Each structure stands twice: as structure tokens, then as C-alpha cells.
Amino acid sequence: MKKLLTISKDQRIKVSSKIESYLFPKFIYLNVEENTKFMIQKRNIKKGEKIFCQDHKTILSPVSGTIEGIIEKEGKYYLKIENDFKEDDSYNGVKEYTTKALKLNFSTILEETGMDTTRFKNKQRMILNGIEDEPYLVTKTTLHKSYAKEILSTLDLLASAFSMKAIQICLKENDRESIEAFSSEIGTYPNITLEILGDMYPIGEDNILKNYLRLKEETYIISTEEVLNIYEEGLKKRSKDIVFVTFTGDAIKNPMVVKVKIGTPLKDIIKELLEMKKCSYDILLNGLMRGTKIQEEAIIDEKTRAIYFMKTKERKESFCISCGKCIEVCPFHCNPYRAFLKNEPVIDPKCVSCGLCTFICPSNIKLEHYIKGEEK
Amino acid sequence: MKQVYMHFEQKKDKIEYTLLAILILMYGYGVYKNGLSYVFIGKMNLLSALEYFLCPLISILSQMIFSRKMKLTIKDGMESLLLSIMIPPRFPIWCFTILVALYYFGKKIGTKKMLCISNLLLFKILTSFIATIILKIDYQNIVEVNNAYLYSPADLLFGRGVGNLGSTSILLMIIYFGVSLQDVYYKKELPTTMIATYVILAIIYASIGTQKDILSQILNSHLFFAAVFLSTKLGTSPAEKKYLMIHGIATSILGFVLTTIFDLQDGIYYSLFVMQILWMFLHQRMKKI
């Protein structure tokens, strides 16, 4: 296996795992698409009520309030809901199970909630991928810190329900807070072990992790978010209506992790919680290596994990000096250099768009425009 | 659309300080060995011994002038300074001309990928060239000119010019290679294969031919300059490792044939440019595959 890179961090970019909450936005915007089937007949809705069905998934209202209608923002359509701040958790109807009942019937309980359990069947081992690959991202760390107990119990239930021999939790060596959080709880779960890995990129990529751990038996790699979804939806019968989002970057004075309602406009968080430096900045969603540029008008959705505010930098492309470094660093043996020479985008099924080729290029060539993986 | 915001930055301090330390030590040694030691025995006057301080001085001045426009770092200045004292004395003018032509030609054609050399290489070569021309140097010291004597292996390794170890020295080049290895973008496969092939060929040739002086063939400043510096900086050399090795071996074989059999002193430079052009055409064909 190829040697992976350690991405050196800029000391000027501060990260904090301090958690703030922003759970009562005035308006909520839920993304609607062409195939959305609406399930509501009235304008006033309660928190947890079914609103629409999208891609075989039922979306529940994250707040109680009044539906304002469908609006367009940056080419996307959103259902706008005005929050009346009257939400309560009475809709949850949490059914308490005994530990024994849970262990015996966990797969049935999951299936009842409409979850696909075939992915866990016939697997001998499960790996919890708790690695945060993107630099300055602490969302998973925050989840580990806040829900270590819940994650471990869910993993244990999954292991006994699907007869898995062992569970490994993979963490990076520099993620001390996560290591501490799991270490203090793991003692009661003899089948769960911690695997501490070096600070390399992109070790959090499932294929790389599997190769790195040299796993030969049937293994299922699960992410922290997936475990928590199982916990929330399967065990607690709650729909996911909040996300933890890391806010960081060199244009922000007070980096933090914000517990925020899905559908909250980013602008509200900037206005209410963040202190920005007086400079022009770019906003990047979900990473500095694989992120996408967004505007302040963006909406926080369930896939939002981090928002970076980075001082605007102009990077001038220069001649390719044929150093071959882009080929050398690619963990999947792709050849971005040849794609660049062809001067047209090449789709390589091996490419996972990790961005290492662009990262290493001394001529600042945006190689991610030339080589791409298949759309998933 | 996904975009990569981060960019790899080399830790330049380490390279800069290493270069600086080497430069001072080697330069001091050169001044002593080829200058002051002759002054002490009365074979050279002090002014002649210190004449060669001009070379680095010119390099520093030209670096200062150029750097305002080109935003060069200290490391680039150090490198060009090092180059100005290690560039072989008879580095051919045509080589400079082609390098400059390649730079502009490549830029004008706008292929972005082929036929070009970096601004930095051009700057370094020109700086060294200016220093060389101003000093009208053939890098031989006065004692040597007045009392011609044969090169010993030690001379070949440590040089004989005052403060200009590079005149005949490959030691600086070897150290430069060592320092360059810290640079992640340095194509180490090229110099390694080129020199290794050349050594093997020299041994084979000496065992079957009349040429017995293997050391003077191997410890050749032109070979080392072409392999360690020039070949690695040209954008027209391959990028993939396997091709780099093939390219290095082929360049070395052709260079050896031209130098030894056809008795061309600039043989290795001809070979380098022939191989660069050949690779360029091969590569154009490969692009279509």
C-alpha cells in the first residue's frame, strides 16, 4: 500500500470543540426536489409531523409552525416554514425496551422502522470509522464526546443482533478527545476494541482503511453518523432534526461547533453566533480538501458537517513542470498528469476525489477539474 | 463543484539553512585551499586570492535585483549562489541559448505542458552565467595557469579554483544533490540512473578499451551538472517513475557515446537535449492513446 501524506496544519487556523446551540431559527428551509411527494394537507404543522417523502425517505418537520410556501434559493427549491417556537417532544413516544429484549430483537426493531439491515448480514467484523479526514474538522470528535455511551451500546447491539465477532473503533492519534471519550466507556464492552491510527490523509476513506488494517474477513465499515442514526431512528424513534457543524477558518474569530436545526439559514448563524474578521472571505462547505464553495445564503442540511471561512486567496496556475508528484501521491494509483495532458476531464472509477493531486501540485494546477471519480 | 483549497507548503527553512551552511563551509575551504594556502607560501598575492569573492557578490546582487520582480525566496538566492560557484567552467553557450529559447518558446506556444522551463531555472542559469561572464573565468587559478600540472583524484573531487570549488569539483554537486533530496519535487530518479549508468559504462569501457582513467571520466563536472541540476529542472522530462529511469539510462548512454567515442566535450548536454526533444515527440504520441 502507498505511503499516505500527513497534511500539515496552519497554526493561524484555530479549532475549538466548544459546543454552542442554535435550535430556534425563525424560519426553516427544507430542500424539495422534483420527485418530492407532499404528505400534508394543512398549513400549520407540529414538530415531527410527516411533511413529504423524498427518495423513499419520509421527512418530518424539525419545528412546529406555519408553512409559508415554496421558494427558490440559488437554483434550489425549499419549503419555507415559519417557526412558532411551540415545539415539544411529546410526539416521540419512545418505547422502552429491556436490554435482553433489545439484544434478541434488535434486527426486527430496525426492520420495523424501515431500515435496510441486509448490509449487516453475513459480516464477521464491523469497523466504526471515527476518523475525521478533513483538516480542522471536529464534528466527529464532538459526536464522540457527546454520545460515546450511545455509540458503544448501539455497536454492541448490532454485533449481537447480527452475530459479528468483533468491532473495532478507528480513531486518529491526534484526536485525543475522542480517544478519551471512548476509553472511559469501553471497559464494559469486551468485544469492542480501539484502533489508533496515524494522522494521514485520506485514511478515513473506507477502501484505504480496509487496506490499511489488512482486513480479509467480511467487514462492514460504519460511520459515526450512521451509528447515531440507528440509535436515534431505530431505538429512540426520533427523526434526525439537528446536526453538529464545525465553524472554523482563518477569517473567523471564534471557531466553534454549533448544534443546529436542519434547514437553518447559514446567514442566521453568522449573524447570531459568529464573529468575523474584517476581510473578504470564501465560504467552503464540508472541507478544505473536498469542499464546495457556497454563499452566505446557503441552508444547513443533514449532510452539512463543517463550514470554513477562509480569507480569499488568489492562486495563479503556472506551467506544469512534469514533477510527477500528482501520480506519486495518489493513493488509488490514478494518473492525473495524463488527464491534464489530454486537456479534457477524465472519469477514472478509481478516483475518489481526495484532492491530493491538486494539493501537492507545485504549479497550482487544479487537477480535480481533469480527473474525477464516478458520480455516486 | 468540489474544490481543493489547501496547498502543500514545503518547510523551506531546513533547506535554506542547510544550503547556507554548506555554502559558507565549502567556500571557506575553497578560499583556503586554492587561495590563502598559496598566499602563505608566497606563490600568490592576497588580492588575487580574494578576487573570487566577486562571484558570490554578483550572485547576491543579481538575486536582489531579480527578486523584487519575481518574488523569489532566500532559498532561491542561495541556490543560484551555489550554482554560480559550481557551474562547470566550460558550460557551453549554446546550452544557455537553448534554455532561454525553450523558456520563451514554451510560453508563447501556450501548450502549458511541454517545451518549457521554469522561471526559476532561467533565473538561476542567468545569474550564474552573468557571474561567469563578468569574471571571464575559466575557473583556473593563477598557480595552475603558470605551473600546469595534472589533476589528482583529490583535485577532481575538491576542485582547484580559488573559492570556486565547482571548477573541477563534483563534491559541491554531490552535496547539492543531497540538499535537493529534501525537496519533494526533485526528480531524484534521473540523476541516480544517469550517474549509475555512466559509472557502469566507464568501467566496461575501461576494461575493454584503451581508456584506463576511470576516475577522470566518472568525476566529471559536466556529467554531474547535467544529471544533478539540469536534467531535473526541465519540464520536458517524463513525470512517471519508470519513464524517468528509462530516460536517465538512455541519456547517459548517448552522453557517454558522444563524449567518449565521438570525443565531444559537451556530449552529455547534447544527449540531454536530444533526449528531451525525443521524449517530447514520444509524449505527444502517448497523449493520443
Side-chain angles (χ1 to χ4, degrees):
Chain A
M1 191 179 149
K2 270 195 176 183
K3 200 181 161 195
L4 301 175
L5 273 188
T6 301
I7 294 180
S8 54
K9 305 223 167 54
D10 186 344
Q11 297 303 317
R12 286 166 296 182
I13 303 175
K14 301 275 180 261
V15 180
S16 167
S17 53
K18 188 181 104 184
I19 306 170
E20 294 279 346
S21 294
Y22 190 75
L23 299 171
F24 302 102
K26 199 175 176 198
F27 293 101
I28 284 285
Y29 299 84
L30 298 172
N31 189 15
V32 286
E33 281 160 18
E34 276 180 20
N35 59 354
T36 303
K37 284 178 194 162
F38 285 91
M39 300 161 91
I40 34 166
Q41 305 292 330
K42 50 184 185 177
R43 281 193 69 205
N44 291 325
I45 48 159
K46 279 185 181 177
K47 185 186 166 184
E49 252 184 273
K50 289 175 184 173
I51 311 179
F52 53 79
C53 182
Q54 201 165 268
D55 299 327
H56 309 291
K57 206 178 167 192
T58 309
I59 308 292
L60 310 178
S61 174
V63 289
S64 70
T66 319
I67 293 171
E68 296 273 300
I70 290 175
I71 58 142
E72 194 198 341
K73 266 189 176 199
E74 293 177 338
K76 282 183 178 177
Y77 290 94
Y78 294 93
L79 182 76
K80 188 177 175 185
I81 306 169
E82 189 179 358
N83 195 350
D84 61 8
F85 307 104
K86 287 177 186 166
E87 63 188 63
D88 57 47
D89 287 337
S90 59
Y91 75 97
N92 281 335
V94 182
K95 194 176 161 186
E96 291 293 336
Y97 298 100
T98 60
T99 319
K100 198 180 171 187
L102 269 176
K103 285 206 171 186
L104 286 171
N105 303 313
F106 194 56
S107 58
T108 325
I109 294 166
L110 290 183
E111 275 158 17
E112 273 170 15
T113 58
M115 249 179 227
D116 172 28
T117 54
T118 50
R119 58 196 159 145
F120 303 118
K121 282 172 186 164
N122 303 322
K123 303 283 186 227
Q124 290 167 302
R125 183 184 285 265
M126 183 150 65
I127 304 280
L128 172 75
N129 185 351
I131 293 168
E132 202 70 273
D133 254 346
E134 286 286 345
Y136 318 109
L137 192 52
V138 286
T139 307
K140 276 192 182 174
T141 309
T142 317
L143 292 175
H144 295 156
K145 258 168 58 183
S146 316
Y147 301 105
K149 217 173 182 175
E150 289 81 355
I151 292 170
L152 287 168
S153 64
T154 313
L155 284 174
D156 188 45
L157 283 172
L158 282 171
S160 50
F162 297 97
S163 318
M164 291 180 197
K165 279 186 212 157
I167 295 172
Q168 275 171 291
I169 298 175
C170 292
L171 299 169
K172 271 191 183 177
E173 62 187 5
N174 55 351
D175 188 4
R176 288 176 196 281
E177 289 175 276
S178 295
I179 297 171
E180 274 170 30
F182 282 120
S183 304
S184 58
E185 302 285 344
I186 208 164
T188 46
Y189 302 96
N191 56 340
I192 305 178
T193 50
L194 276 185
E195 184 79 41
I196 312 297
L197 305 169
D199 183 17
M200 293 170 284
Y201 181 85
I203 191 111
E205 195 61 46
D206 286 357
N207 293 346
I208 300 231
L209 188 64
K210 219 170 175 176
N211 277 341
Y212 193 83
L213 297 171
R214 293 190 181 137
L215 298 169
K216 282 174 189 161
E217 55 202 339
E218 283 291 310
T219 308
Y220 183 74
I221 298 181
I222 193 167
S223 67
T224 307
E225 289 86 352
E226 210 179 331
V227 176
L228 283 172
N229 273 355
I230 293 172
Y231 175 78
E232 290 287 326
E233 289 175 23
L235 279 173
K236 297 289 167 190
K237 312 285 182 211
R238 283 194 293 238
S239 74
K240 189 184 176 187
D241 61 358
I242 54 154
V243 278
F244 286 84
V245 182
T246 306
F247 286 87
T248 183
D250 55 5
I252 190 171
K253 283 183 190 169
N254 55 340
M256 61 177 78
V257 176
V258 182
K259 192 177 172 184
V260 60
K261 272 263 177 315
I262 290 172
T264 306
L266 172 63
K267 226 171 184 176
D268 290 4
I269 300 168
I270 297 175
K271 199 177 156 190
E272 298 293 330
L273 297 174
L274 305 176
E275 259 185 86
M276 308 306 295
K277 288 179 187 167
K278 280 177 188 167
C279 59
S280 62
Y281 54 78
D282 292 330
I283 309 175
L284 287 125
L285 175 73
N286 287 350
L288 295 179
M289 292 294 287
R290 301 187 230 195
T292 40
K293 211 169 173 178
I294 53 165
Q295 302 298 319
E296 278 189 6
E297 284 71 33
I299 306 291
I300 307 282
D301 62 21
E302 61 173 356
K303 286 177 186 160
T304 309
R305 291 162 61 230
I307 289 173
Y308 296 81
F309 297 87
M310 303 299 291
K311 284 179 184 168
T312 312
K313 264 186 221 167
E314 274 296 314
R315 230 180 244 132
K316 217 177 150 191
E317 264 188 34
S318 58
F319 298 127
C320 170
I321 57 163
S322 303
C323 65
K325 214 65 200 165
C326 51
I327 309 166
E328 206 181 308
V329 294
C330 180
F332 295 96
H333 305 274
C334 301
N335 195 332
Y337 173 70
R338 199 162 284 185
F340 170 70
L341 288 181
K342 280 189 177 172
N343 205 12
E344 57 190 55
V346 170
I347 292 178
D348 189 335
K350 287 181 289 182
C351 177
V352 292
S353 308
C354 66
L356 273 178
C357 47
T358 308
F359 170 74
I360 203 83
C361 180
S363 303
N364 292 324
I365 297 166
K366 289 174 180 131
L367 288 159
E368 78 263 26
H369 295 173
Y370 296 95
I371 191 156
K372 283 172 199 163
E374 282 169 337
E375 292 284 330
K376 283 170 190 170
Chain B
M1 177 150 198
K2 280 185 182 175
Q3 70 174 75
V4 182
Y5 191 88
M6 287 193 87
H7 196 259
F8 176 74
E9 273 164 27
Q10 287 202 75
K11 282 185 181 166
K12 284 185 176 160
D13 297 357
K14 217 161 75 177
I15 305 174
E16 278 164 21
Y17 292 129
T18 322
L19 270 171
L20 191 63
I22 290 167
L23 201 64
I24 292 168
L25 282 172
M26 297 297 285
Y27 201 79
Y29 178 73
V31 169
Y32 170 75
K33 182 185 171 283
N34 299 316
L36 294 178
S37 64
Y38 290 110
V39 175
F40 295 148
I41 55 170
K43 286 196 173 179
M44 194 189 274
N45 65 40
L46 191 62
L47 273 178
S48 306
L50 300 178
E51 184 190 340
Y52 290 84
F53 275 119
L54 277 172
C55 191
L57 202 67
I58 291 160
S59 270
I60 291 167
L61 283 174
S62 53
Q63 199 257 334
M64 279 168 68
I65 297 162
F66 277 105
S67 63
R68 288 194 179 178
K69 267 193 170 180
M70 294 170 63
K71 290 180 185 169
L72 297 167
T73 61
I74 302 167
K75 185 216 156 195
D76 302 323
M78 286 299 156
E79 231 183 333
S80 60
L81 190 59
L82 195 65
L83 248 179
S84 72
I85 58 167
M86 74 181 186
I87 199 160
R90 291 181 194 87
F91 183 62
I93 302 287
W94 67 263
C95 205
F96 280 115
T97 323
I98 285 187
L99 282 170
V100 176
L102 272 180
Y103 174 72
Y104 285 105
F105 189 42
K107 222 174 176 183
K108 287 250 165 70
I109 268 187
T111 55
K112 292 205 287 188
K113 304 108 196 173
M114 309 306 281
L115 271 170
C116 62
I117 57 168
S118 66
N119 292 7
L120 216 57
L121 172 65
L122 185 76
F123 162 72
K124 284 173 194 167
I125 297 271
L126 284 180
T127 314
S128 330
F129 193 41
I130 292 165
T132 319
I133 284 178
I134 291 178
L135 288 170
K136 288 183 227 161
I137 279 172
D138 70 349
Y139 285 101
Q140 288 185 334
N141 76 41
I142 300 146
V143 184
E144 192 177 279
V145 174
N146 294 337
N147 313 287
Y149 56 90
L150 286 170
Y151 286 106
S152 68
D155 284 333
L156 288 165
L157 207 59
F158 293 103
R160 287 162 83 177
V162 181
N164 283 282
L165 296 164
S167 64
T168 49
S169 169
I170 55 140
L171 191 65
L172 260 183
M173 224 71 83
I174 294 168
I175 293 167
Y176 181 85
F177 178 61
V179 174
S180 300
L181 287 179
Q182 291 186 49
D183 185 345
V184 294
Y185 300 115
Y186 187 71
K187 295 176 179 177
K188 54 184 179 296
E189 294 81 8
L190 263 180
T192 322
T193 46
M194 268 179 84
I195 293 165
T197 315
Y198 208 92
V199 170
I200 294 165
L201 288 174
I203 294 167
I204 296 169
Y205 190 68
S207 63
I208 55 162
T210 48
Q211 175 68 269
K212 293 287 173 198
D213 191 5
I214 306 173
L215 265 182
S216 70
Q217 264 188 321
I218 298 166
L219 303 176
N220 175 345
S221 57
H222 288 297
L223 165 70
F224 274 76
F225 184 71
V228 171
F229 180 75
L230 214 52
S231 68
T232 57
K233 296 286 189 319
L234 291 165
T236 36
S237 55
E240 288 101 325
K241 269 188 183 172
K242 55 180 176 185
Y243 295 128
L244 269 176
M245 287 162 105
I246 297 168
H247 188 84
I249 293 167
T251 311
S252 203
I253 293 171
L254 185 63
F256 187 83
V257 171
L258 291 175
T259 317
T260 322
I261 300 168
F262 291 92
D263 210 17
L264 269 172
Q265 218 192 9
D266 310 340
I268 196 80
Y269 301 115
Y270 283 113
S271 145
L272 199 62
F273 282 108
V274 167
M275 284 307 296
Q276 299 284 330
I277 291 162
L278 197 67
W279 172 251
M280 224 165 62
F281 285 110
L282 275 174
H283 213 220
Q284 292 287 354
R285 289 185 74 86
M286 276 170 66
K287 268 163 69 177
K288 288 168 193 163
I289 300 168

